[in-house]
Amino acid sequence: MPVAVPRFPGHLTDVAGLRVGHHTLAGHHTGCSVVLCPPGGAVAGADVRGAAPGTRETDLLHADHLVDRVHALLLSGGSAFGLDAAGGVMRWLEAQGQGLAVGPARVPIVPAAVLFDLWLARGPRPDAAAGWAACEAAASDPEAEGNVGAGTGATVGKLFGLPRAMKGGIGSASLRAHGVTVAAMLAVNAIGDVIDPATGLPLAGARTEDGLRLQHSARSIVQGLPVVVPATGSATTLGVVATDAVLTKPQANRLATVAQDGLARSINPVHTMSDGDTLFALATGGAGHTPPMTVLGTLAAEVVARAVLNAVRAATGLPGLPAAVDLPPG
């Protein structure tokens, strides 16, 4: 019987001005999620850490490149097919008059990243219509978690074969400290296990052969047990960490880099050859000041780890693919 599990408080929309919309392809185990920035955009950066990424418009976020603001971010299922959804987000923003002024035109800047959910999603993939629908659904209310949007077909714990994996999902968390808000939203679709940093025990991941307990993948690898490494590009955890602090583009990139520490605390193994782990950072500047980057980085890593745990706690199991609420931890 599923058991009640606690969640860390907060959502990405706790950063004032951000709106989140999910579009779920009902019955097809895939979807996409959009983060809409305030009018005029937000300063952004990115850190691509996995070895098999699927991304769009991440090069322009490099600290030495021209454009420093984005108008939306897209996280999508469907592997590389899901990048099509960014076109729908661009068209929706253009219809709202949002975008970078380039001569007579406005060009919305929409970086995107995709995860591999084709183990489950074997029908339609997120396309431009899905991206548009996610924008239409966007709101400043607390965003939904679990089997929605980009987390619909997410799975975790695949190092001992897909029959022993578990359900991943999408989750959020936020913190308010030092006069700023720092929040994160993660679509958790990892090769490795999701680990509770407080106990060192897995919450969701590879299961034992009988399917009733958690295997603890990293510990099993150290013990020399054989693994079944899925094909390259078969997973990926995606996320957005956002703050209302005032940041420059180099600082936003640094925030995305340090926020990856939150993945290292809560997923093991992480950043593998089969993952395309990517984090975006957004800074709206609404707080009007900039705490020390060491402070912001500490908050970002913590909130990312919390959002990862919330993602698997909110997930709902499917036939043959249980969720964290269906198994005891450890």
Side-chain angles (χ1 to χ4, degrees):
M1 177 182 296
V3 296
V5 291
R7 75 175 298 280
F8 290 104
H11 294 83
L12 189 71
T13 52
D14 291 340
V15 175
L18 296 184
R19 291 179 289 158
V20 173
H22 299 305
H23 181 67
T24 302
L25 277 68
H28 297 293
H29 303 301
T30 193
C32 61
S33 302
V34 67
V35 180
L36 298 180
C37 299
V43 176
D47 187 281
V48 180
R49 194 66 60 90
T55 59
R56 166 175 164 155
E57 299 273 48
T58 52
D59 279 357
L60 66 79
L61 297 179
H62 291 175
D64 59 346
H65 289 182
L66 176 65
V67 175
D68 67 347
R69 288 180 173 266
V70 304
H71 303 94
L73 295 172
L74 175 77
L75 310 180
S76 183
S79 188
F81 298 104
L83 290 172
D84 282 350
V89 178
M90 287 187 68
R91 287 199 284 275
W92 188 90
L93 287 165
E94 183 184 30
Q96 314 307 310
Q98 292 293 308
L100 176 68
V102 183
R106 285 194 173 270
V107 180
I109 306 300
V110 185
V114 295
L115 56 78
F116 188 98
D117 56 7
L118 302 184
W119 312 115
L120 298 177
R122 303 200 177 187
R125 287 84 178 240
D127 56 11
W132 181 288
C135 293
E136 288 285 294
S140 57
D141 300 326
E143 61 270 16
E145 297 177 297
N147 298 20
V148 296
T152 303
T155 51
V156 298
K158 301 161 206 169
L159 280 170
F160 290 86
L162 291 171
R164 290 164 64 176
M166 291 179 66
K167 188 71 182 67
I170 203 162
S172 302
S174 71
L175 287 165
R176 175 77 181 170
H178 300 274
V180 297
T181 299
V182 181
M185 182 177 75
L186 275 292
V188 182
N189 184 55
I191 289 289
D193 302 337
V194 172
I195 305 293
D196 184 348
T199 65
L201 297 176
L203 292 180
R207 292 172 290 146
T208 52
E209 290 188 20
D210 61 13
L212 302 178
R213 293 172 293 119
L214 291 162
Q215 178 76 35
H216 203 311
S217 296
R219 187 176 298 168
S220 298
I221 290 171
V222 171
Q223 293 170 349
L225 297 182
V227 298
V228 182
V229 180
T232 297
S234 56
T236 296
T237 293
L238 307 175
V240 179
V241 59
T243 181
D244 55 6
V246 177
L247 296 183
T248 64
K249 188 179 180 183
Q251 287 174 323
N253 275 281
R254 185 61 186 168
L255 190 67
T257 296
V258 176
Q260 292 272 11
D261 292 350
L263 292 188
R265 295 174 194 169
S266 57
I267 299 174
N268 194 8
V270 70
H271 306 142
T272 74
M273 295 300 293
S274 297
D275 288 294
D277 302 327
T278 300
L279 288 185
F280 295 104
L282 288 176
T284 66
H289 72 107
T290 308
M293 285 303 297
T294 297
V295 169
L296 279 178
T298 300
L299 295 174
E302 176 64 24
V303 81
V304 164
R306 292 183 178 192
V308 169
L309 270 57
N310 281 346
V312 295
R313 285 167 170 163
T316 302
L318 300 173
L321 193 67
V325 296
D326 301 319
L327 292 181

